[in-house]
Amino acid sequence: VQLVESGGGLVQAGGSLRLSCAASGSMFSLNAMGWYRQAPGKQRDVVALIPSGGSTEYADSVKGRFTISRDNAKNMVYLQMNSLKPEDTAVYYCAAVFHYSDNTRETYWGQGTQVTVSS
């Protein structure tokens, strides 16, 4: 499985960006896709998740501003980010979570895309 992100960049506070993630390889046993972010000196945290069979989930800090969506036919996942704040500055990673029949899990990560929000 390979994940390739695009769409990051520099934006002023209050602006918008749309991140895209293209997934390739076998999607059998895919449980969820999502976006995580990691700011300098901080741990990687979940931003939004979109399970294969459930409702979307968001970190409290982005609720009402970010929207995750998925195009299963194209194996794409998107993150629309509106009303961006300087504290949203981070490297954003696409993730694909697999649950297998033997109850094991595996998470694949993209290479990350930088999002910088200036004040």
Side-chain angles (χ1 to χ4, degrees):
V1 174
Q2 289 189 322
L3 304 172
V4 179
E5 302 102 332
S6 61
L10 173 64
V11 65
Q12 288 188 331
S16 298
L17 282 174
R18 187 190 192 213
L19 304 183
S20 299
C21 173
S24 60
S26 175
M27 296 292 113
F28 188 74
S29 296
L30 179 67
N31 179 262
M33 296 196 73
W35 290 94
Y36 290 70
R37 67 186 180 187
Q38 187 168 20
K42 296 188 177 182
Q43 68 180 20
R44 189 175 299 187
D45 290 326
V46 62
V47 175
L49 292 172
I50 186 164
S52 296
S55 58
T56 55
E57 302 172 19
Y58 295 93
D60 288 342
S61 59
V62 307
K63 282 181 182 176
R65 300 188 298 123
F66 291 10
T67 302
I68 188 171
S69 61
R70 187 168 161 180
D71 185 334
N72 291 328
K74 297 181 179 179
N75 283 340
M76 296 288 295
V77 64
Y78 306 97
L79 186 68
Q80 178 66 42
M81 305 186 293
N82 298 328
S83 302
L84 283 160
K85 304 175 181 179
E87 50 263 44
D88 295 318
T89 295
V91 177
Y92 283 70
Y93 296 91
C94 178
V97 182
F98 290 79
H99 290 184
Y100 300 110
S101 57
D102 61 357
N103 280 332
T104 60
R105 296 186 181 193
E106 188 161 12
T107 301
Y108 292 87
W109 299 95
Q111 82 285 356
T113 185
Q114 177 71 45
V115 171
T116 303
V117 184
S118 63
S119 57

